[in-house]
Amino acid sequence: MAATFKTLDSLDAAGRKVLLRADLNVPVRDGKISDTTRIERLVPTISELADKGASVILVSHFDRPKGKRVPEMSLEPVAVALATALGRPVSFATDCIGPDAEAAVETLKAGEILVLENTRYHAGEEANDTDLAEKLARHADVFVNDAFSAAHRAHASTEGVTRFLPSFAGRLMEAELNALDAALENPERPVGAIVGGAKISTKLDLIANLLSKVDVLIIGGAMANTFLAAQGVSMGKSLQEADMHATALQILTDAKARGCEIVLPVDAVTATEFKAGAASKIVPVTAIDADAMMLDAGPETVKLVVSKLAGLKTLVWNGPFGAFEITPFDAATNAVAQAAAKLTVEGKLKSVAGGGDTVSALRHAGVVDQMSYVSTAGGAFLEWLEGKTLPGIMALTAVAQDAAPL
Ligand code: 3PG
Ligand code: MG
């Protein structure tokens, strides 16, 4: 275990006021919360703290109001959804600092739960302003960070507060860090990664880090088109980055030198238009028509990838294979996801997935609950895959934990 942070196991929570950094930044569509996963995954930490007799003060950002009070970005409806998920009452304060927050904190009893308004209503949040961090810290005796998905941000409520309060990892943070450690830092080998997505250019650091850590790197999505094109394959009208060919070839060379096997699509599902139910054709990647686009990997690729998965003990997954949002271009993602899920359920594979589209792709394939671990994080998962040190995690290590209570 690489982790050196304290967990709730060593927190004597009874009678304490706990400032809990949650990530309540849930997706919203048409004014409604469209996915409550992040809320549900906070329940164990909140319930444990409340049951132990702590007063739980939740603090979180929501969307990007950039230091202004944007009404649509209020956490009030999220607090209501949290109460439902918890099956306990949750109170709400209209600001995260100042008189309303202080009064709400003051009257909060043991076992009670309070949500403070969006920290990003204050510009000091993203600026990691010391004054804001100290004011937040003054609400509480200890700080618990359960927001792995916001740990790539060095903000007042993620990093700043740890300078003022003894700091602990919550249960969700602990689970995320343990899963990531088991997936890439200390994995059972062979370990493989699936990386999809549109562009190589946005995932260069990620690919470089993975090349040094995994035995097999399976590349999907439009990113694979660039690798194929770089090798002289005619990709027709497929999305690809013409200016990244040299980089792609260099990656292939580096992989070879490191003994990392790269797996690219061998066949393609193509269409001449990008829309649901478009007439599609399955061809080897070497036979893509000049007026066609590759929109998914084909069945031979699925067979190849599934055969690679069967040889792995650990899999890290980020990014879909094709344009999974529209049929029939979701087939490869679905089939590979289902194969990974099956191997996981059979106890043959440890599978860890996360980052942006990945969770929706796995949900679409109906396998979210069958993977070993699905991260709640988008950007933080990607930065972790890049091998970066996340400031929110750094702040939980030894030095910060020893900060004296205010
Ligand atoms: C996320 O949703 O990725 C986190 O909540 C961080 O949000 P941000 O990208 O607005 O900092
Ligand atoms: Mg984000």
mmCIF file of all heavy atoms in Angstrom, residues 25 64 152-153 379, ligand 2:
data_model
loop_
_atom_site.group_PDB
_atom_site.id
_atom_site.type_symbol
_atom_site.label_atom_id
_atom_site.label_comp_id
_atom_site.label_asym_id
_atom_site.label_seq_id
_atom_site.Cartn_x
_atom_site.Cartn_y
_atom_site.Cartn_z
ATOM 1 N N ASN A 25 -20.646 17.603 -7.092
ATOM 2 C CA ASN A 25 -20.716 18.126 -8.459
ATOM 3 C C ASN A 25 -21.344 17.063 -9.365
ATOM 4 O O ASN A 25 -20.661 16.394 -10.128
ATOM 5 C CB ASN A 25 -19.299 18.477 -8.915
ATOM 6 C CG ASN A 25 -19.286 19.206 -10.243
ATOM 7 O OD1 ASN A 25 -20.250 19.873 -10.603
ATOM 8 N ND2 ASN A 25 -18.200 19.050 -10.982
ATOM 9 N N ARG A 64 -19.200 25.456 -12.280
ATOM 10 C CA ARG A 64 -18.141 26.469 -12.320
ATOM 11 C C ARG A 64 -18.686 27.896 -12.313
ATOM 12 O O ARG A 64 -18.617 28.616 -13.314
ATOM 13 C CB ARG A 64 -17.276 26.234 -13.564
ATOM 14 C CG ARG A 64 -16.537 24.905 -13.505
ATOM 15 C CD ARG A 64 -15.813 24.565 -14.776
ATOM 16 N NE ARG A 64 -15.035 23.349 -14.615
ATOM 17 C CZ ARG A 64 -14.409 22.727 -15.608
ATOM 18 N NH1 ARG A 64 -14.463 23.223 -16.832
ATOM 19 N NH2 ARG A 64 -13.726 21.627 -15.370
ATOM 20 N N HIS A 152 -7.654 16.564 -7.896
ATOM 21 C CA HIS A 152 -6.682 17.166 -8.818
ATOM 22 C C HIS A 152 -6.723 18.690 -8.742
ATOM 23 O O HIS A 152 -5.949 19.349 -9.426
ATOM 24 C CB HIS A 152 -6.910 16.665 -10.248
ATOM 25 C CG HIS A 152 -8.309 16.897 -10.786
ATOM 26 N ND1 HIS A 152 -9.436 16.727 -10.039
ATOM 27 C CD2 HIS A 152 -8.737 17.277 -12.016
ATOM 28 C CE1 HIS A 152 -10.503 16.997 -10.774
ATOM 29 N NE2 HIS A 152 -10.110 17.339 -11.980
ATOM 30 N N ARG A 153 -7.619 19.232 -7.948
ATOM 31 C CA ARG A 153 -7.721 20.682 -7.780
ATOM 32 C C ARG A 153 -7.081 21.092 -6.463
ATOM 33 O O ARG A 153 -7.467 20.575 -5.413
ATOM 34 C CB ARG A 153 -9.197 21.118 -7.766
ATOM 35 C CG ARG A 153 -10.036 20.614 -8.940
ATOM 36 C CD ARG A 153 -9.556 21.169 -10.243
ATOM 37 N NE ARG A 153 -10.402 20.741 -11.359
ATOM 38 C CZ ARG A 153 -9.937 20.637 -12.605
ATOM 39 N NH1 ARG A 153 -8.680 20.883 -12.885
ATOM 40 N NH2 ARG A 153 -10.745 20.268 -13.573
ATOM 41 N N GLY A 379 -11.731 13.978 -14.376
ATOM 42 C CA GLY A 379 -10.404 14.571 -14.532
ATOM 43 C C GLY A 379 -9.367 14.036 -13.551
ATOM 44 O O GLY A 379 -8.199 13.841 -13.910
HETATM 45 MG MG MG B 2 -14.411 18.180 -14.619
#
